[in-house]
Amino acid sequence: MKKFLKVFVLFLLFQIIYIPLLSIGLIYYGPFKNTREMIVTTAMTTMTHQYFATWFLSDEEIEEILKRNRPQEDVEDTDVGKIEIANKNSNVTDPKEGIEIVDVSSDTYNGYLMIVSDPSRVKIATAPRMGTVGATTSQIVEAYDAIAGINAGGIEDDALSNGGTPSGLLIEDGILKTPDAISGSFAVVGLDNENRMVVSNSITYARLQELGVRDAVSFQPVIIVNGQPTIYYGDGGWGIQPRTAIAQRQDGTILMLVIDGRRAGSIGATLKNVQDILLDYGAYNAFNLDGGASTTMIFDSKLVNQPSDIMGERYVSSAFIVTKPKTQTTASN
């Protein structure tokens, strides 16, 4: 009996200690390169779980993995001349008309693509008390009496963040809302006065003014420019996370994408997944927006997706909203 108990205890120790250690060893030092790179890129895009990479790999090894997976950073300028917008929605009166939501879920994530045929209805909206406190995407959409929206630019994030301070550059209706961004270069997505999307990994406010950009926010990176993808290897360098992205087709149609993550049944998506979905739906230019707990889509006063935070929608500084047709708009911020 004692011999049996000894064998049983040794077996339990093997299961509890040695198998996990063996698995870790195989992942980080064995032949499973894709799995290792996925874990590292995912861990390093979080603020709280980077130890999954830093405990086992050197800073140089981690940086090499990230560099290898990142999208191409030095991308060409957006050729807005190739975007030809047809005025096909001038007589729309129903605010839901011209908007379609497509389920783009896979076996590993739940995703939703909002297709907006009239780009003139898409604009940046900001939290009513931006600079002091943020607002949920739902609250921003409601404040602007809009029909739909997704979260947009990044926020200055720390443990006590209330979403009130946007990061980088933010332009709303032609007005620079982040005065410090008057100098420097930023990764930006915006819409010009002709409702054509401009994307860049490094652009100045002065250049955006020259291009006549009416609305813009900062995050990163560019994932499609002039019809060409920027990710040619690996997962895009940002691992698996909840995602928000925006894109435009050559006919002007706007694509807004959200993918849920960090939950059972929907672990999230890579930037490569996002790129592939948007390419499948005809994106000509595309840009990755703030994801993670911020990822939110609203349509007709309803939450379309499931934000990863157990508390629900996160407070953010900005959103891309879809306004009601002009004859239907009754209020603005």
Side-chain angles (χ1 to χ4, degrees):
M1 185 64 179
K2 289 182 179 180
K3 185 177 181 180
F4 172 78
L5 287 174
K6 184 177 180 181
V7 171
F8 182 71
V9 169
L10 288 173
F11 175 76
L12 286 179
L13 288 173
F14 179 78
Q15 294 285 335
I16 295 170
I17 298 174
Y18 295 108
I19 288 181
L21 288 175
L22 179 62
S23 299
I24 290 171
L26 286 173
I27 288 172
Y28 283 99
Y29 308 108
F32 304 107
K33 181 179 180 181
N34 291 341
T35 301
R36 176 168 61 253
E37 296 198 349
M38 182 70 70
I39 291 173
V40 170
T41 55
T42 300
M44 296 307 294
T45 53
T46 69
M47 297 299 294
T48 56
H49 299 296
Q50 294 185 0
Y51 56 85
F52 277 115
T54 58
W55 280 0
F56 305 104
L57 299 173
S58 69
D59 292 344
E60 291 76 14
E61 289 172 315
I62 292 170
E63 179 56 30
E64 179 59 33
I65 290 172
L66 296 176
K67 182 178 179 181
R68 188 162 54 242
N69 280 269
R70 286 184 187 124
Q72 179 183 351
E73 295 181 359
D74 185 16
V75 298
E76 59 187 274
D77 292 338
T78 306
D79 187 353
V80 292
K82 294 289 182 68
I83 301 170
E84 299 180 1
I85 299 172
N87 187 20
K88 53 190 174 183
N89 294 294
S90 57
N91 296 319
V92 170
T93 57
D94 182 351
K96 298 180 187 179
E97 190 174 346
I99 303 173
E100 178 185 6
I101 296 180
V102 179
D103 190 322
V104 292
S105 302
S106 75
D107 292 338
T108 57
Y109 59 76
N110 297 324
Y112 307 93
L113 182 70
M114 185 184 300
I115 304 173
V116 184
S117 58
D118 182 0
S120 71
R121 294 176 61 186
V122 177
K123 70 179 297 292
I124 281 293
T126 52
R129 297 176 60 200
M130 190 187 76
T132 302
V133 64
T136 66
T137 304
S138 294
Q139 290 169 341
I140 295 174
V141 169
E142 182 180 8
Y144 282 73
D145 191 29
I147 185 64
I150 58 172
N151 65 292
I155 57 177
E156 293 293 340
D157 202 3
D158 57 43
L160 301 176
S161 174
N162 61 14
T165 306
S167 61
L169 176 148
L170 192 156
I171 300 172
E172 181 183 8
D173 294 329
I175 299 172
L176 181 64
K177 298 285 189 173
T178 48
D180 289 347
I182 199 165
S183 61
S185 297
F186 305 89
V188 162
V189 57
L191 291 164
D192 70 11
N193 291 321
E194 302 298 323
N195 306 311
R196 301 170 300 189
M197 184 173 288
V198 174
V199 297
S200 177
N201 281 327
S202 181
I203 195 168
T204 64
Y205 173 60
R207 179 57 179 155
L208 292 171
Q209 285 184 301
E210 291 174 2
L211 295 172
V213 169
R214 59 170 170 85
D215 291 285
V217 290
S218 290
F219 203 67
Q220 62 179 321
V222 174
I223 48 181
I224 302 170
V225 61
N226 301 329
Q228 299 302 310
T230 64
I231 302 168
Y232 293 97
Y233 174 87
D235 62 20
W238 286 35
I240 298 176
Q241 301 289 352
R243 300 287 178 203
T244 306
I246 190 165
Q248 186 175 46
R249 293 173 176 165
Q250 277 189 272
D251 68 356
T253 299
I254 298 291
L255 308 175
M256 297 179 173
L257 176 68
V258 298
I259 295 176
D260 289 338
R262 302 176 185 170
R263 61 174 63 250
S266 185
I267 61 174
T270 67
L271 286 185
K272 181 66 162 57
N273 294 144
V274 171
Q275 177 180 274
D276 290 347
I277 292 169
L278 293 174
L279 285 171
D280 285 345
Y281 280 86
Y284 187 67
N285 291 300
F287 191 86
N288 181 55
L289 296 169
D290 192 8
S294 299
T295 291
T296 311
M297 177 181 284
I298 305 298
F299 179 65
D300 195 23
S301 302
K302 298 180 180 64
L303 186 60
V304 175
N305 70 312
Q306 287 187 287
S308 63
D309 195 311
I310 59 172
M311 301 300 291
E313 291 185 61
R314 186 186 192 188
Y315 275 29
V316 296
S317 297
S318 62
F320 272 107
I321 62 169
V322 184
T323 62
K324 295 176 181 177
K326 291 181 180 179
T327 55
Q328 293 289 317
T329 302
T330 58
S332 63
N333 194 4

